[in-house]
Structure formats: structure tokens, C-alpha cells
């Protein structure tokens, strides 16, 4: 009987891990990446503008 009790511990742990894994891996409704992509686009445009305004070292010669 004691052996059965010791076998229940890993069985319950496996069931708990399976339940937690299914909960953690569920599909969540997200807002999407629109705001992050828009911010990256603004950053990239700002960097292109700053590069266009600077002179390269070869222009100084």
C-alpha cells in the first residue's frame, strides 16, 4: 500500500504539469504588433533623416 502512495506522487505531479502546460500554452487574444511596427517605422525614418543630414568623412576632402 505504501508503494501505491509513492506512485501517486509522480502521477499527480504529471497531471498538474499537464494542466499547467495547457493553461500556459493557451491562445490569448492580443492587440497585435501594429503599435510596435509603427514605432519601428518612425524610428527607421528618423534614422534615415539623420544620416541624410550628415556629411560623410570622404565629403570633407
Amino acid at each position: 500500500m505504501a508503494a501505491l502512495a509513492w506512485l501517486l506522487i509522480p502521477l499527480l505531479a504529471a497531471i498538474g504539469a499537464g494542466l499547467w502546460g495547457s493553461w500556459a500554452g493557451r491562445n490569448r487574444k492580443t492587440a497585435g504588433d501594429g503599435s510596435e511596427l509603427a514605432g519601428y517605422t518612425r524610428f527607421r525614418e528618423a534614422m534615415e533623416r539623420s544620416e541624410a543630414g550628415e556629411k560623410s568623412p570622404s565629403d570633407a576632402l
Side-chain angles (χ1 to χ4, degrees):
M1 194 63 160
L4 290 177
W6 279 105
L7 289 175
L8 284 177
I9 294 171
L11 178 66
L12 292 175
I15 291 171
L19 290 173
W20 179 82
S22 64
W23 177 78
R26 71 188 187 279
N27 289 332
R28 297 180 181 153
K29 299 199 187 248
T30 58
D33 294 333
S35 61
E36 290 86 2
L37 290 174
Y40 176 70
T41 302
R42 287 192 307 271
F43 170 75
R44 191 178 63 223
E45 289 171 352
M47 293 303 290
E48 288 173 357
R49 282 193 303 264
S50 69
E51 287 177 358
E54 296 177 2
K55 291 184 178 179
S56 66
S58 63
D59 292 338
L61 297 174

